[in-house]
Amino acid sequence: MIAKSQHHWTGDVADLLRVGDGFRLADVDPRSTPGYDKDKVRAAEDLGTGALQLDEYQERLFAESRVDATDASVLLVLQAMDSAGKGGIIRHVVGSVDPQGVSLAAFKKPTPEELAHDFLWRIEQRVPEPGLIGVFDRSHYEDVLIGRVRELAPAAEIERRYGAINEFEKRLVDGGTRVVKVMLHISPDEQKRRLGERLDRPDKHWKYNPGDVDERELWPAYMAAYQTVFERTSTTWAPWHVVPADRKWYARLAVQHLLLEALEDIDPKWPVATFDVAAEKARLAAS
Amino acid sequence: MIAKSQHHWTGDVADLLRVGDGFRLADVDPRSTPGYDKDKVRAAEDLGTGALQLDEYQERLFAESRVDATDASVLLVLQAMDSAGKGGIIRHVVGSVDPQGVSLAAFKKPTPEELAHDFLWRIEQRVPEPGLIGVFDRSHYEDVLIGRVRELAPAAEIERRYGAINEFEKRLVDGGTRVVKVMLHISPDEQKRRLGERLDRPDKHWKYNPGDVDERELWPAYMAAYQTVFERTSTTWAPWHVVPADRKWYARLAVQHLLLEALEDIDPKWPVATFDVAAEKARLAAS
């Protein structure tokens, strides 16, 4: 049995982080820790407890899918400015479950073949099958974020995409997928500190891209594009969550909690045997 | 720095497990622990040490690939009778590295579309990109194992496949992939015990398939098919390793070691910066 979450949350995290009417990104403090008043050490313990819960939920969900007892899946959509900690979420939160139950898709700059199709073409191909936790490291939202900021498509096309995204996600949800959308929100100062660390450490140089500094110039434009994304695509079926991410430990704990909630909502059970257990024991003994 | 393996091996594991001239599967004791004379507790410690090494090697390899500094990858091919522990290897050995560095492909019974193509068609699509550790949970070898035992293809076609496999793997190796082929070898008695455990535990019923007992009748035919696979496809560029697997802890430690050897052979280094570090520090400070 999975006990209900034993975390030290002081409030409903999903409620606290969910983007609703009147949400303003500018009002969110990236160093805050909504719903959690313990420290980093306690958070690490809670993350460990949550990892065990996530692991069992995931295995149950996977088990149900193997016997065609569910069409449920989870899709975690991760968006963020550079160095906000997407990789750490994948490694430390998603990485705690069996790799056989995870489907990970990292969306880079589109290829010419991808660009020749509708922007959702490459996304559709990576939607998780029933039983899996899918993770999108960047996603279709790039097409209304960098797409808007860098004017990679005509304004009318960008406008069209918000509606297309909502319809696409509605279809996923109707098909059994819980869509968990997360923006990891860091401050420009924290990003500067993290990029500086990459420059200071030779084993981190490969993670540094000079283009990251150019993007910093566009910070206000990106924040405006995110604000529009939230206003246009935080739906009842697939709401956005803005997770303060200047403290990595908080962001990881919060995202883990959002995944746990999605799985609690699915409430997967160990499948009942579709064969006669006693008869199979006899056959096995005789084999 | 990665210290050379600190494990308590008493011999060269890869040498001990590698299939060479005159190999006879029937001579391998599935309960043996070649090259390791410590117990399960010490093995768990060694597995933990190895996990840290594997993790760093993998990240270095990934880093090199991100800056186009390598074409190297690793491909672990896992074959075994049911319940031999493939899943445990994926979870406990592969699962210890960053999921972003792993490409996992589980090959099931072929679909009609897959059957309409050459047997290597679906395999080719799942070959790991540079920088990744690919894992095949079952593989093209099914087409000369169950394919042979169940006569799913004409005898001449099965014969043709051994050569096609060797050429295919040679091409992978020439392209930079280290192909690590592993057969997890369990005894029929151990399989009976493990299947019995699945029947005893309601949370394991979903893993039990009545067809598994039918397959037990064909055990000698499968062992003969494996013996032929070893004779025909254990090449200098992609040798087979038969890992005794009645003791799960040994099998995991041995496979981890084979992966570590492949990565030591690649010897990935943290990439040197392709930008002017001092200039970037100044730009970042001014941003």
Side-chain angles (χ1 to χ4, degrees):
Chain A
M1 286 294 293
I2 301 172
K4 264 278 176 183
S5 175
Q6 302 288 325
H7 295 92
H8 297 87
W9 294 103
T10 58
D12 184 319
V13 198
D15 268 354
L16 290 167
L17 303 180
R18 191 178 300 119
V19 171
D21 288 344
F23 174 88
R24 279 168 35 98
L25 180 57
D27 293 341
V28 178
D29 176 0
R31 280 194 74 75
S32 63
T33 61
Y36 198 83
D37 60 8
K38 298 288 186 294
D39 65 1
K40 186 174 174 172
V41 175
R42 182 60 65 86
E45 292 169 15
D46 282 345
L47 196 72
T49 306
L52 297 176
Q53 296 177 332
L54 197 60
D55 194 43
E56 181 165 344
Y57 269 131
Q58 184 281 321
E59 190 176 353
R60 286 191 195 187
L61 179 63
F62 188 78
E64 282 195 338
S65 73
R66 290 307 100 163
V67 300
D68 295 324
T70 188
D71 58 6
S73 63
V74 176
L75 174 60
L76 174 65
V77 175
L78 289 173
Q79 285 291 156
M81 298 297 282
D82 278 318
S83 82
K86 289 189 285 88
I89 297 285
I90 295 169
R91 183 168 195 144
H92 298 285
V93 178
V94 178
S96 73
V97 306
D98 192 330
Q100 295 165 94
V102 173
S103 163
L104 179 61
F107 294 100
K108 317 270 185 209
K109 190 177 165 189
T111 63
E113 187 188 19
E114 289 170 346
L115 283 174
H117 290 84
D118 179 65
F119 77 109
L120 290 172
W121 179 75
R122 63 175 186 162
I123 306 295
E124 187 86 56
Q125 298 173 44
R126 307 301 296 274
V127 162
E129 293 172 30
L132 298 188
I133 298 177
V135 180
F136 283 180
D137 176 359
R138 306 188 186 276
S139 67
H140 40 299
Y141 286 100
E142 290 295 314
D143 298 284
V144 287
L145 289 165
I146 191 169
R148 186 181 183 101
V149 172
R150 295 268 182 198
E151 298 178 353
L152 303 178
E157 165 63 9
I158 301 279
E159 279 304 304
R160 183 192 71 83
R161 289 177 182 170
Y162 299 109
I165 286 172
N166 289 340
E167 286 169 25
F168 166 67
E169 291 177 351
K170 183 72 165 66
R171 177 158 53 82
L172 293 189
V173 170
D174 287 347
T177 303
R178 268 65 172 179
V179 179
V180 180
K181 301 193 295 200
V182 167
M183 183 240 192
L184 300 175
H185 186 39
I186 57 165
S187 62
D189 284 352
E190 177 65 15
Q191 188 194 54
K192 182 184 274 193
R193 200 188 63 73
R194 292 184 189 179
L195 293 178
E197 191 175 289
R198 290 180 184 178
L199 286 169
D200 285 339
R201 291 179 51 178
D203 63 336
K204 300 281 184 196
H205 282 167
W206 68 279
K207 290 190 174 186
Y208 182 86
N209 175 354
D212 296 346
V213 173
D214 303 322
E215 290 289 288
R216 282 173 61 75
E217 304 294 316
L218 296 169
W219 197 282
Y222 273 105
M223 293 306 109
Y226 270 109
Q227 177 68 35
T228 305
V229 160
F230 298 143
E231 289 168 8
R232 302 288 294 275
T233 67
S234 196
T235 54
T236 50
W237 56 90
W240 272 101
H241 301 85
V242 171
V243 176
D246 273 11
R247 301 177 199 261
K248 288 181 183 173
W249 58 265
Y250 176 79
R252 291 172 189 172
L253 200 59
V255 174
Q256 183 188 66
H257 193 81
L258 294 173
L259 288 176
L260 281 170
E261 281 209 343
L263 284 156
E264 280 175 14
D265 182 53
I266 296 172
D267 193 21
K269 309 261 194 276
W270 294 118
V272 175
T274 52
F275 46 82
D276 180 335
V277 176
E280 287 302 318
K281 284 187 182 179
R283 284 183 69 224
L284 178 62
S287 76
Chain B
M1 287 293 293
I2 302 172
K4 264 279 176 187
S5 175
Q6 301 290 327
H7 295 92
H8 296 87
W9 294 104
T10 58
D12 183 318
V13 197
D15 268 356
L16 289 167
L17 303 180
R18 191 178 300 120
V19 170
D21 288 343
F23 173 88
R24 281 167 34 99
L25 180 58
D27 293 341
V28 178
D29 176 1
R31 282 194 70 78
S32 64
T33 61
Y36 199 81
D37 59 10
K38 296 289 185 295
D39 65 2
K40 186 174 173 170
V41 175
R42 181 61 63 88
E45 293 170 14
D46 283 346
L47 195 72
T49 306
L52 297 176
Q53 296 176 331
L54 197 59
D55 194 42
E56 181 165 345
Y57 269 132
Q58 184 280 320
E59 191 176 354
R60 285 192 198 187
L61 178 62
F62 188 77
E64 282 194 339
S65 74
R66 290 308 101 162
V67 299
D68 295 325
T70 187
D71 59 3
S73 63
V74 176
L75 174 60
L76 174 64
V77 175
L78 289 173
Q79 285 291 154
M81 298 298 281
D82 279 318
S83 83
K86 287 188 286 90
I89 296 285
I90 294 169
R91 183 170 194 141
H92 299 284
V93 178
V94 178
S96 73
V97 306
D98 191 331
Q100 295 165 97
V102 172
S103 163
L104 180 61
F107 294 100
K108 317 270 185 209
K109 189 177 164 187
T111 64
E113 187 188 17
E114 289 170 347
L115 283 173
H117 291 85
D118 180 64
F119 76 109
L120 290 173
W121 179 76
R122 64 174 185 163
I123 306 296
E124 187 86 56
Q125 299 174 43
R126 306 302 297 274
V127 163
E129 292 172 30
L132 298 187
I133 298 177
V135 181
F136 282 180
D137 175 2
R138 304 189 188 278
S139 67
H140 40 298
Y141 286 100
E142 290 295 314
D143 297 285
V144 287
L145 288 165
I146 191 171
R148 185 182 184 103
V149 172
R150 295 272 182 191
E151 297 179 354
L152 303 179
E157 165 62 10
I158 301 279
E159 279 304 305
R160 181 192 71 83
R161 289 177 181 169
Y162 299 108
I165 286 172
N166 289 339
E167 285 168 27
F168 166 66
E169 291 177 351
K170 182 74 165 66
R171 177 159 53 82
L172 293 188
V173 170
D174 287 346
T177 303
R178 267 63 172 180
V179 179
V180 180
K181 300 192 296 199
V182 167
M183 183 240 191
L184 299 176
H185 186 39
I186 57 165
S187 61
D189 284 351
E190 177 65 14
Q191 188 194 54
K192 181 183 276 194
R193 199 186 64 73
R194 293 185 189 179
L195 293 179
E197 190 174 290
R198 291 181 182 178
L199 286 170
D200 284 339
R201 292 179 50 178
D203 64 334
K204 299 281 184 196
H205 283 166
W206 68 278
K207 291 190 173 185
Y208 183 85
N209 175 354
D212 295 346
V213 173
D214 303 323
E215 290 289 287
R216 282 173 61 76
E217 304 294 315
L218 297 168
W219 197 280
Y222 273 105
M223 294 305 109
Y226 270 108
Q227 176 70 34
T228 304
V229 160
F230 298 143
E231 289 168 8
R232 301 288 293 276
T233 67
S234 197
T235 55
T236 50
W237 56 90
W240 272 99
H241 301 85
V242 172
V243 176
D246 273 11
R247 301 177 199 262
K248 289 180 182 173
W249 58 264
Y250 175 80
R252 291 172 188 172
L253 200 59
V255 173
Q256 184 189 67
H257 193 81
L258 294 173
L259 287 176
L260 281 170
E261 281 209 344
L263 283 155
E264 280 175 15
D265 181 52
I266 294 172
D267 194 20
K269 308 264 195 271
W270 295 119
V272 175
T274 52
F275 47 82
D276 180 334
V277 175
E280 288 301 319
K281 283 185 182 178
R283 284 182 70 224
L284 177 64
S287 75

